[in-house]
Amino acid sequence: MSDRRSENSSGDEPSSSSSIPDEVWERFIRDSERDIRKSAPKEPSARARQVAERLKGQPEPAGWRTGPAWQEMNGRAARRRKVWAVIGLPVAVAVAVVAMRPSLIPGDPFGSAAAHTDSAASRLPDETAAPTAPPSAVAARTPTLAHPFAGSPALRWADGEAGIVLPKATALGSIPKDRVELALQQTKKLLVDANLNPEVVAGAHPDAALAVLDPKQPRMLEELDTALRHPSKAHDPLSLFSRFDPEDVMPAGKVVKTRGRITFAKGKFEGVAVHADYTFVYPVVPVDGSGEVTRTIVRRVIDTELPDPARYQVTPGRLTLVSYNEDAGNSACDIDDGFLHPQFPSQAPTGSAAPSGPSVDPYDRSRKIGDGPEGCGRVSRT
């Protein structure tokens, strides 16, 4: 399902991983063709949750060395869009065809050994500009513990942090190159800890991510701390951090696929403004030991700025979080406990929200984040 949530900053401005237990692998190998057919997809669901807290206006910051670090905003706007994606029947049928796991059949009669080898897929060049179309269709294949990205466009994406490639830092007028480099590196630290740190993904506190944010930005760290300690519909940590309940699921291997880009420009606070747009693909298995694999796709668009400490009352070297948006595919619509809750192909949709509206491709990075149906909709693939 697709969970699409977008959330901007509070509006204030400046003045890899767990391993698979042996018993899971053993059960995986023991699965018979009959068991696998039984667990073939039955219109799995996906959800999109989107919480938008958008800046309604950006008042001019306080003057030179005067006033508060950030001015207050005239209120906040919040809305939630949920897209509960359902893999269509034609795709589900195609998945069922390959659910026999041909890699377990002697001789590999379908010739899938090479096709299913994740490392054999050529990596795509780094993304240097906004895509103009979604990724091409990929042959439907059932993901497994050995090949968790089978049947996914992310198979050819970079692994983890290798996918976060920083542009070459250059001076921005009077802003020196080293400050630009610092802004880029700090934003990368935020992205890595919030989305790729195995401990954080398993629910741990994102200390390194929070450490790059300016404690002088009013309410920001306080609101994030509230969301992490007491998650709710109004205070949701998923708007900035990728988190799964370790009592529910565990990673299917050590790789999270990553694709996106970072750009920089001179900011409105006489500093370095950084724009990051990344999609992360998480393969997971349930903790019940079934070995069934599914994927959750999370896209994040984050804007940060490293303001000029000579002009504004800020902490030198710390980032201002200007805005942040999230769009997640394959997570239950109606659960607000601060964790992503993937649906597995063998599971029927759960929760009170029913799939509705047009489907959304969670791998489509050409789509403006936030676009899509209101309510609990559908995604076309996971």
Side-chain angles (χ1 to χ4, degrees):
M1 49 184 92
S2 165
D3 170 6
R4 299 172 47 254
R5 163 193 334 224
S6 77
E7 177 165 331
N8 285 36
S9 76
S10 62
D12 301 305
E13 304 172 350
S15 349
S16 273
S17 73
S18 304
S19 61
I20 304 301
D22 291 341
E23 58 267 27
V24 174
W25 282 101
E26 293 172 358
R27 182 166 181 174
F28 168 68
I29 297 300
R30 292 197 307 266
D31 277 343
S32 65
E33 177 178 333
R34 173 181 55 81
D35 292 331
I36 294 171
R37 285 184 179 276
K38 185 184 298 183
S39 64
K42 306 171 184 176
E43 283 218 341
S45 62
R47 131 212 186 230
R49 196 193 294 188
Q50 184 181 47
V51 176
E53 297 191 9
R54 302 190 179 278
L55 299 173
K56 288 184 176 177
Q58 304 220 357
E60 290 300 317
W64 182 279
R65 297 177 184 270
T66 64
W70 286 265
Q71 306 241 348
E72 287 291 328
M73 261 254 318
N74 294 325
R76 303 170 61 187
R79 67 188 173 120
R80 168 169 307 202
R81 288 185 182 179
K82 299 180 180 179
V83 175
W84 183 318
V86 174
I87 298 179
L89 183 59
V91 175
V93 171
V95 171
V97 171
V98 298
M100 296 168 59
R101 309 210 183 198
S103 60
L104 299 182
I105 300 176
D108 193 16
F110 295 97
S112 61
H116 281 194
T117 302
D118 295 0
S119 60
S122 60
R123 174 178 161 179
L124 289 175
D126 295 328
E127 185 177 288
T128 56
T132 58
S136 301
V138 178
R141 302 186 190 280
T142 301
T144 66
L145 285 167
H147 307 290
F149 298 101
S152 167
L155 178 63
R156 299 182 61 200
W157 293 7
D159 294 355
E161 189 174 345
I164 303 179
V165 180
L166 299 180
K168 181 179 179 180
T170 58
L172 292 170
S174 62
I175 303 175
K177 174 182 175 180
D178 62 339
R179 284 193 58 75
V180 174
E181 180 67 27
L182 177 60
L184 292 170
Q185 291 291 346
Q186 292 289 71
T187 301
K188 180 175 180 177
K189 287 181 182 178
L190 173 62
L191 288 168
V192 169
D193 192 57
N195 301 282
L196 296 172
N197 183 336
E199 295 181 356
V200 171
V201 173
H205 202 263
D207 295 324
L210 297 176
V212 306
L213 301 179
D214 194 340
K216 291 184 178 180
Q217 183 174 5
R219 302 194 311 274
M220 178 55 67
L221 289 180
E222 179 182 349
E223 290 189 1
L224 292 176
D225 183 68
T226 297
L228 288 163
R229 295 181 184 277
H230 307 287
S232 65
K233 186 174 182 178
H235 297 90
D236 196 337
L238 296 179
S239 59
L240 191 60
F241 309 104
S242 295
R243 307 167 79 239
F244 294 85
D245 188 346
E247 296 185 359
D248 183 25
V249 298
M250 66 178 68
K254 298 182 179 181
V255 174
V256 173
K257 289 291 186 176
T258 307
R259 186 160 182 79
R261 65 193 182 280
I262 285 183
T263 58
F264 65 91
K266 189 171 183 178
K268 68 173 296 181
F269 308 125
E270 304 300 324
V272 185
V274 179
H275 178 77
D277 183 340
Y278 279 89
T279 300
F280 304 92
V281 183
Y282 303 90
V284 295
V285 294
V287 295
D288 63 10
S290 67
E292 185 178 20
V293 178
T294 192
R295 294 178 289 256
T296 291
I297 304 96
V298 178
R299 182 180 173 193
R300 298 195 184 279
V301 176
I302 297 176
D303 289 286
T304 64
E305 183 162 346
L306 191 64
D308 184 353
R311 293 173 180 257
Y312 299 99
Q313 297 178 19
V314 296
T315 304
R318 298 291 187 92
L319 294 175
T320 296
L321 190 56
V322 178
S323 68
Y324 49 107
N325 299 271
E326 178 237 15
D327 185 344
N330 191 16
S331 185
C333 281
D334 55 347
I335 303 177
D336 297 299
D337 62 357
F339 294 113
L340 295 161
H341 289 278
Q343 291 287 305
F344 289 85
S346 63
Q347 298 174 341
T350 61
S352 58
S356 63
S359 64
V360 174
D361 183 355
Y363 292 97
D364 183 2
R365 294 186 40 75
S366 67
R367 178 177 51 86
K368 181 179 179 181
I369 192 167
D371 287 353
E374 294 285 353
C376 202
R378 302 176 296 166
V379 293
S380 58
R381 53 181 171 178
T382 59

